[in-house]
Amino acid sequence: MLDKLEAIKERFEDVSQQLIQPDAMSDMKKYKALNKEYKDLEKIVIEYKKYLSLLSNIENAKQVIATEKDEEFREMAKEELDELIPQQEEMEELIKNLLIPKDPNDSKDIIIEIRAGAGGDEASIFAGDLHRMYSRFAEKQGWKMELIDAQEGTSGGYKEIISSISGEDVYGKMKFESGVHRVQRVPATETQGRIHTSVASVVVLPEVEEFDIELNMNDIRKDLFCASGPGGQSVNTTYSAVRLTHIPSGIVAQCQDQKSQLKNFDKALKVLRSRIYEVELAKKNEEEGAQRKSMVGGNDRSDKIRTYNYPQGRVTDHRIGYTVYNLPIVMDGAIDDFVEELRIAESAERLKEGVA
């Protein structure tokens, strides 16, 4: 492990030097990649330096025990060693986790799409509840959430709502939310007090940069239409809403949130690029036979991943069998425990793969 850590430290120093060169920013694609690598390596190097210091202290304590004639000094060294050995084990475990290969998309921003499924109006209301839950979670994380497109439900909530979230490690924390979310509760419109089951699907896409995927603008058809819904005087009077169609794949993205056609075009292009990237990535993984049928992150979008049971105040994640009984707090954005448990499960799987 020490050889590997030393090689990482050398690479970190090399990247540091490249970043301070006068011409470093002449190639922005390369500069951005180096900056990301620097941040990833820095976390490991900081812990490596702490680990070397700890090993030095352990060696010194052993040396005192072996050579010191003063019994009191030797006893003090033994006590110090008893404290340092557990610290060594903890630090080695931490470094092992840092050395697990990371998903290269973890640091990216995301596009999140929430759609009402089976359950009629109640499904739309639940989709709205999920949107609020993620909005609150993003707020607590210090992330920025922006609306891209929305179709409101007839009795509240949304038939579909698409947003972007930007910040630190957004995809790394949010990627596990993709899948079908199920709610069990008595709808406000239910007069007999019967519990209904409704579902909403969530899709989390890494927001890709221009250099992540080659997109020929000649392959994209742009259609303009009048925006619908709230938005001021310009709504329904100007053709500001934008729909983009990628002709070769048939993938469509649209945005009508902004009054500016140009801003709507930029947002729609972000969504289109991310959707095409996901399709291309899935195709590449399939060709290489490397698609991980992971219990945590490799499930099909149609898989039911979580149940929100209101009468019991229960939320259960079916992938890892994790249940909490604080549903109101979860719906207010406290999904941290689920994120952490899922990340631990993913790390365990990746560690297993690394050993294999």
Side-chain angles (χ1 to χ4, degrees):
M1 189 170 79
L2 285 173
D3 289 345
K4 192 171 185 179
L5 288 167
E6 192 57 37
I8 288 170
K9 180 171 167 282
E10 285 174 15
R11 175 60 188 164
F12 174 72
E13 288 166 356
D14 179 41
V15 171
S16 303
Q17 285 302 310
Q18 288 186 57
L19 283 170
I20 59 171
Q21 295 306 311
D23 61 344
M25 295 182 76
S26 60
D27 183 346
M28 282 309 292
K29 180 180 174 180
K30 185 183 175 185
Y31 179 76
K32 196 163 185 179
L34 283 171
N35 208 30
K36 182 186 178 304
E37 188 181 359
Y38 177 88
K39 286 178 182 176
D40 291 341
L41 294 176
E42 186 181 33
K43 294 172 189 173
I44 301 171
V45 171
I46 287 169
E47 295 306 324
Y48 175 43
K49 287 178 178 175
K50 289 181 189 173
Y51 182 59
L52 287 179
S53 173
L54 184 65
L55 290 181
S56 174
N57 291 341
I58 288 171
E59 192 53 44
N60 289 340
K62 285 180 178 177
Q63 193 71 23
V64 170
I65 293 166
T67 59
E68 181 59 56
K69 291 176 182 176
D70 189 307
E71 185 61 33
E72 193 176 338
F73 272 119
R74 281 176 35 214
E75 275 305 312
M76 285 170 64
K78 281 178 187 175
E79 285 175 18
E80 186 183 7
L81 192 62
D82 287 342
E83 288 177 13
L84 293 174
I85 295 298
Q87 287 178 35
Q88 181 187 0
E89 290 168 1
E90 283 174 24
M91 191 156 275
E92 283 174 356
E93 192 61 36
L94 173 65
I95 290 170
K96 273 183 194 173
N97 284 328
L98 287 172
L99 291 175
I100 296 168
K102 299 288 187 292
D103 183 335
N105 288 323
D106 277 358
S107 61
K108 291 185 185 294
D109 297 336
I110 64 163
I111 306 290
I112 181 167
E113 306 177 352
I114 305 171
R115 293 181 181 88
D121 290 343
E122 173 63 12
S124 295
I125 292 167
F126 179 51
D129 292 340
L130 288 176
H131 172 68
R132 182 183 178 277
M133 179 179 82
Y134 294 131
S135 300
R136 295 284 293 125
F137 180 63
E139 191 182 312
K140 290 171 183 177
Q141 297 293 314
W143 297 338
K144 183 183 178 185
M145 191 175 199
E146 282 187 279
L147 180 67
I148 292 175
D149 196 33
Q151 293 178 38
E152 294 184 357
T154 50
S155 300
Y158 300 96
K159 290 178 182 174
E160 177 183 83
I161 181 162
I162 301 169
S163 310
S164 65
I165 303 179
S166 55
E168 189 178 341
D169 199 23
V170 183
Y171 185 73
K173 291 182 179 178
M174 289 292 293
K175 62 184 175 183
F176 306 114
E177 296 304 305
S178 283
V180 175
H181 296 243
R182 180 177 71 168
V183 64
Q184 295 171 323
R185 63 185 175 189
V186 179
T189 53
E190 170 57 54
T191 55
Q192 304 295 318
R194 288 172 298 195
I195 295 170
H196 287 226
T197 298
S198 306
V199 298
S201 68
V202 175
V203 177
V204 177
L205 304 172
E207 189 178 299
V208 296
E209 305 291 341
E210 285 180 43
F211 56 77
D212 285 328
I213 185 168
E214 283 184 32
L215 211 54
N216 186 343
M217 295 309 290
N218 293 326
D219 289 338
I220 297 171
R221 187 180 74 236
K222 181 169 89 169
D223 298 309
L224 305 176
F225 59 100
C226 292
S228 59
Q233 293 177 348
S234 61
V235 170
N236 294 323
T237 59
T238 59
Y239 285 84
S240 59
V242 176
R243 183 185 296 111
L244 300 179
T245 305
H246 184 244
I247 297 163
S249 65
I251 294 171
V252 178
Q254 69 178 42
C255 179
Q256 57 178 329
D257 179 54
Q258 302 291 322
K259 291 179 185 179
S260 158
Q261 185 190 121
L262 194 61
K263 286 180 180 176
N264 281 332
F265 175 83
D266 288 343
K267 281 189 171 186
L269 190 59
K270 271 186 185 179
V271 176
L272 188 71
R273 195 182 286 125
S274 294
R275 287 177 180 170
I276 293 170
Y277 175 80
E278 190 202 29
V279 170
E280 291 297 319
L281 190 63
K283 202 186 295 178
K284 180 172 173 283
N285 287 341
E286 205 172 323
E287 283 169 6
E288 292 174 358
Q291 192 166 19
R292 291 167 56 242
K293 294 293 180 184
S294 163
M295 174 184 72
V296 179
N299 289 333
D300 192 270
R301 276 190 195 167
S302 60
D303 287 350
K304 180 186 71 183
I305 63 164
R306 199 175 294 153
T307 294
Y308 305 77
N309 185 298
Y310 275 70
Q312 297 174 11
R314 170 176 62 84
V315 184
T316 298
D317 195 289
H318 303 288
R319 294 162 292 183
I320 52 174
Y322 183 69
T323 296
V324 297
Y325 287 89
N326 58 352
L327 186 145
I329 296 168
V330 170
M331 296 310 291
D332 195 41
I335 60 170
D336 312 65
D337 287 351
F338 288 99
V339 169
E340 190 55 33
E341 291 295 327
L342 287 160
R343 290 186 89 167
I344 289 168
E346 186 197 41
S347 292
E349 284 186 354
R350 285 183 178 270
L351 191 59
K352 211 180 290 177
E353 285 172 9
V355 171

